[in-house]
Amino acid sequence: MSLTYDEFYNGRTGLTVGVNKILFSEETPYQKVEVYETDTWGNLMTIDGMVMLSERDEFVYHEMLSHVGLFAHPDPRRVLIIGGGDGGTAREVMRHSSVQQVDMVEIDEAVVRASKEFLPEVGDWNNPKLNVLFEDGIQFVKDIDDPYDVIIIDGSDPVGPAEGLFESNFMQACYDGLSENGVLTAQTESPWVSDYHPSMKKVFSALEDIYEVSKMYLAYIPLYPAGMWSFSFASKGADPLSNETLSRVEEGLNNFDTELKYYNPEVHRGCFALPNFVRDIID
Amino acid sequence: MSLTYDEFYNGRTGLTVGVNKILFSEETPYQKVEVYETDTWGNLMTIDGMVMLSERDEFVYHEMLSHVGLFAHPDPRRVLIIGGGDGGTAREVMRHSSVQQVDMVEIDEAVVRASKEFLPEVGDWNNPKLNVLFEDGIQFVKDIDDPYDVIIIDGSDPVGPAEGLFESNFMQACYDGLSENGVLTAQTESPWVSDYHPSMKKVFSALEDIYEVSKMYLAYIPLYPAGMWSFSFASKGADPLSNETLSRVEEGLNNFDTELKYYNPEVHRGCFALPNFVRDIID
């Protein structure tokens, strides 16, 4: 007998991963959270049968969701993460020396509990900049009093509790909760999965309507459907490809206390290059 | 009962694709060639249990293997393709109006026979520029008299008949068979598959030693392991990122009789951005 984790998209196309054992499985009030020990990817977390991260590949998603937006902002001090319960996005955000406070609003405490126990290297939980709140992110954004410099939408797929994160009124509430030079980044699904195209179109056209600058970018994530993942960047003016941003990337990375595994100045520029079929989805 | 095509890498990690029926299966003198009708990817060809292409995603591989090199050459007239029996690479090469002759050297006539029957839209078989030869590509390159402007290595993975395509002496023979401004591109496996790292290192360091210019580039291929695929570019001086090349890309694409589905000027520049972990494999 051999255990496998199996996830399907586009009909019967799927990913299969060899599993040694199940480490965690809980039906929470919001979703089903599971962690598997795999044969070659370290521990792997899934939510409602969709891969969130493995210990081996999580660096791609977390570096790309964080640094592309953070470096586009001239001086990010206050950062809000919606979702992100595994802690990886906050870990990357807190590498930026300008950042003073990170509010992470995760709806489901079970995600944080499972991550602390079974993905202990992913989060930087004892960092004094980090403030974890177990609340509904959509409501939290509506109630923002003290604006954020950067908001990062690190939710799961647009089914279940994360569905509202792809809505136009949520993107407007984020805009209203951002400071003058505010920047937003969000995970926005795989261009190869046709079921996601309506959500991708919806969220991207909302960003285009509401924000002064909006661009899609891509990263290679081996355990996500088809291995190609899209993210969206939006801002009140900051341009991720300006010379100012590009110098900030060079200089900022030199000041990090560790070398990243994916993100670098060339990747920052290159990730905004969209293949024609991806452009066609959002145009 | 449901049929699936399953392919594994890195232990028990794998791809599964829903299959309606098997269209072709033949043990040739060189390898096992199969074509499946799938549920959502059109017809899919495999060699020795490794996906070569599907009708739905083949454009990525063929556009990226061809145009990145062809546009880096100032005036490509004579092009050699080693392998490429499905016809897709030749189809893309022949879109370039400067190209007068394409010699495609495929070791296994069964690949061409199966492609013509079951992947009929992939090849442009009646194009008068195309000259198909059923010969050993390694020997063919050693015997080149009349040099080529561009050589494209479109072989399968470095096990079986394609193993020699990753050797240093083969890369030297290609160099010797190229004209003055000669350019070479080659498929060079997935950075996420650790079994391939030795081949990637070997081929890339041979290119670095032998050629004046060598660079690795990447593309998103959903049905290849981990969805991330590497290619290598090498030349006797042509720089794929020079302003001259970049203008040629812009102008050349405007003269194509069709819009491509993946490749465009931004992708040409962006594909050379290597994540840190990929650089580390070849450094």
Side-chain angles (χ1 to χ4, degrees):
Chain A
M1 201 196 76
S2 82
L3 282 176
T4 58
Y5 168 76
D6 301 291
E7 179 179 336
F8 295 91
Y9 70 98
N10 289 355
R12 295 188 288 130
T13 308
L15 167 77
T16 181
V17 178
V19 167
N20 301 330
K21 60 183 171 194
I22 302 173
L23 298 170
F24 183 92
S25 181
E26 191 172 313
E27 280 283 0
T28 78
Y30 305 102
Q31 52 206 355
K32 186 164 193 183
V33 180
E34 291 175 294
V35 182
Y36 303 94
E37 183 189 295
T38 73
D39 61 345
T40 60
W41 297 91
N43 294 345
L44 169 78
M45 175 178 276
T46 68
I47 290 186
D48 288 341
M50 292 174 287
V51 170
M52 295 294 111
L53 71 156
S54 80
E55 289 179 310
R56 182 168 164 210
D57 82 335
E58 57 86 15
F59 66 90
V60 184
Y61 177 88
H62 293 130
E63 292 182 14
M64 292 300 285
L65 183 58
S66 306
H67 302 307
V68 173
L70 267 282
F71 280 125
H73 190 288
D75 187 30
R77 289 162 184 267
R78 287 171 45 74
V79 178
L80 172 65
I81 299 168
I82 300 298
D86 55 64
T89 300
R91 176 196 73 210
E92 293 302 320
V93 167
M94 294 186 295
R95 294 194 199 283
H96 292 254
S97 55
S98 65
V99 170
Q100 292 169 351
Q101 183 179 338
V102 178
D103 291 340
M104 191 186 108
V105 181
E106 167 60 56
I107 200 168
D108 193 345
E109 64 74 33
V111 175
V112 173
R113 183 160 36 89
S115 298
K116 283 182 173 174
E117 186 164 358
F118 296 109
L119 304 161
E121 302 298 312
V122 174
D124 181 11
W125 299 108
N126 296 323
N127 193 313
K129 295 176 181 178
L130 181 62
N131 179 33
V132 179
L133 300 154
F134 296 116
E135 293 181 33
D136 175 11
I138 294 171
Q139 191 58 46
F140 185 93
V141 168
K142 280 187 197 155
D143 297 340
I144 292 172
D145 281 330
D146 191 1
Y148 291 92
D149 301 313
V150 177
I151 298 180
I152 299 178
I153 314 303
D154 184 8
S156 48
D157 298 299
V159 286
E163 204 173 344
L165 304 179
F166 289 76
E167 298 293 340
S168 173
N169 53 5
F170 177 68
M171 289 305 168
Q172 180 66 56
C174 289
Y175 186 92
D176 298 338
L178 280 169
S179 59
E180 201 184 345
N181 292 307
V183 165
L184 172 136
T185 57
Q187 78 80 4
T188 45
E189 307 299 323
S190 174
W192 271 108
V193 182
S194 44
D195 287 352
Y196 291 149
H197 291 179
S199 299
M200 291 177 67
K201 262 183 236 205
K202 188 166 64 176
V203 75
F204 200 75
S205 93
L207 293 175
E208 269 191 321
D209 289 350
I210 297 164
Y211 289 75
E212 278 75 8
V213 174
S214 61
K215 286 183 197 293
M216 180 167 278
Y217 63 98
L218 299 171
Y220 293 89
I221 305 188
L223 296 186
Y224 282 7
M228 178 194 241
W229 210 253
S230 81
F231 299 85
S232 292
F233 171 97
S235 81
K236 294 188 170 182
D239 176 357
L241 295 172
S242 71
N243 289 335
E244 203 188 321
T245 297
L246 297 173
S247 327
R248 211 151 42 218
V249 173
E250 296 272 2
E251 203 180 314
L253 287 175
N254 285 337
N255 293 331
F256 275 14
D257 57 357
T258 183
E259 218 216 345
L260 301 179
K261 293 188 218 160
Y262 192 93
Y263 178 86
N264 60 42
E266 289 71 38
V267 166
H268 180 102
R269 276 189 295 265
C271 70
F272 289 97
L274 303 184
N276 295 337
F277 83 97
V278 178
R279 283 189 192 165
D280 289 347
I281 295 169
I282 57 172
D283 273 357
Chain B
M1 199 197 79
S2 81
L3 283 176
T4 58
Y5 169 77
D6 300 291
E7 180 179 336
F8 295 91
Y9 70 97
N10 289 354
R12 296 188 288 129
T13 309
L15 167 77
T16 182
V17 178
V19 167
N20 300 331
K21 59 184 172 192
I22 301 173
L23 298 171
F24 183 93
S25 181
E26 191 171 313
E27 280 284 2
T28 78
Y30 305 101
Q31 53 207 357
K32 186 164 190 182
V33 180
E34 290 175 296
V35 183
Y36 303 93
E37 184 190 293
T38 73
D39 61 346
T40 60
W41 297 91
N43 294 344
L44 169 78
M45 176 179 274
T46 69
I47 289 184
D48 287 340
M50 293 173 287
V51 170
M52 294 294 111
L53 71 155
S54 79
E55 289 179 309
R56 183 168 163 208
D57 82 335
E58 57 87 16
F59 65 91
V60 184
Y61 177 88
H62 292 129
E63 291 182 14
M64 292 301 285
L65 182 59
S66 306
H67 302 306
V68 173
L70 267 283
F71 280 125
H73 191 287
D75 186 30
R77 288 161 184 268
R78 287 172 44 76
V79 177
L80 173 64
I81 299 168
I82 300 299
D86 54 64
T89 299
R91 176 196 71 209
E92 293 302 320
V93 168
M94 293 186 294
R95 294 195 199 282
H96 292 253
S97 55
S98 66
V99 170
Q100 291 167 351
Q101 184 178 340
V102 178
D103 291 339
M104 190 186 108
V105 181
E106 167 60 56
I107 201 168
D108 193 345
E109 63 75 33
V111 175
V112 173
R113 183 161 35 89
S115 299
K116 284 182 172 175
E117 185 163 358
F118 297 109
L119 304 160
E121 303 298 312
V122 174
D124 181 12
W125 299 107
N126 295 322
N127 194 313
K129 296 175 179 179
L130 180 63
N131 179 32
V132 179
L133 300 153
F134 296 117
E135 292 181 33
D136 174 11
I138 294 171
Q139 192 57 48
F140 186 93
V141 168
K142 279 187 197 154
D143 297 342
I144 292 172
D145 281 329
D146 191 2
Y148 290 92
D149 302 312
V150 177
I151 298 180
I152 298 177
I153 314 303
D154 184 7
S156 48
D157 299 300
V159 287
E163 204 173 343
L165 304 179
F166 290 77
E167 298 293 342
S168 174
N169 54 5
F170 177 68
M171 289 304 170
Q172 180 65 57
C174 288
Y175 186 93
D176 298 337
L178 280 169
S179 58
E180 199 184 346
N181 292 307
V183 166
L184 172 135
T185 57
Q187 79 80 5
T188 45
E189 306 300 321
S190 175
W192 271 109
V193 181
S194 45
D195 287 352
Y196 291 147
H197 291 178
S199 299
M200 289 176 69
K201 262 183 235 201
K202 189 166 65 176
V203 75
F204 200 75
S205 95
L207 292 175
E208 269 190 322
D209 289 350
I210 297 164
Y211 289 76
E212 279 74 9
V213 175
S214 60
K215 287 182 197 294
M216 181 167 277
Y217 63 99
L218 299 172
Y220 294 89
I221 305 188
L223 297 186
Y224 281 8
M228 178 193 240
W229 210 252
S230 81
F231 299 85
S232 291
F233 171 97
S235 80
K236 294 189 170 182
D239 176 356
L241 295 172
S242 70
N243 288 335
E244 203 187 320
T245 297
L246 298 174
S247 326
R248 211 153 40 220
V249 173
E250 296 271 3
E251 203 181 314
L253 288 175
N254 285 337
N255 293 332
F256 275 13
D257 57 358
T258 183
E259 216 216 345
L260 301 178
K261 292 187 217 162
Y262 192 92
Y263 178 86
N264 60 43
E266 290 71 39
V267 166
H268 180 101
R269 276 188 295 266
C271 70
F272 289 96
L274 303 184
N276 294 336
F277 84 97
V278 179
R279 282 189 192 165
D280 289 346
I281 295 168
I282 57 172
D283 271 357

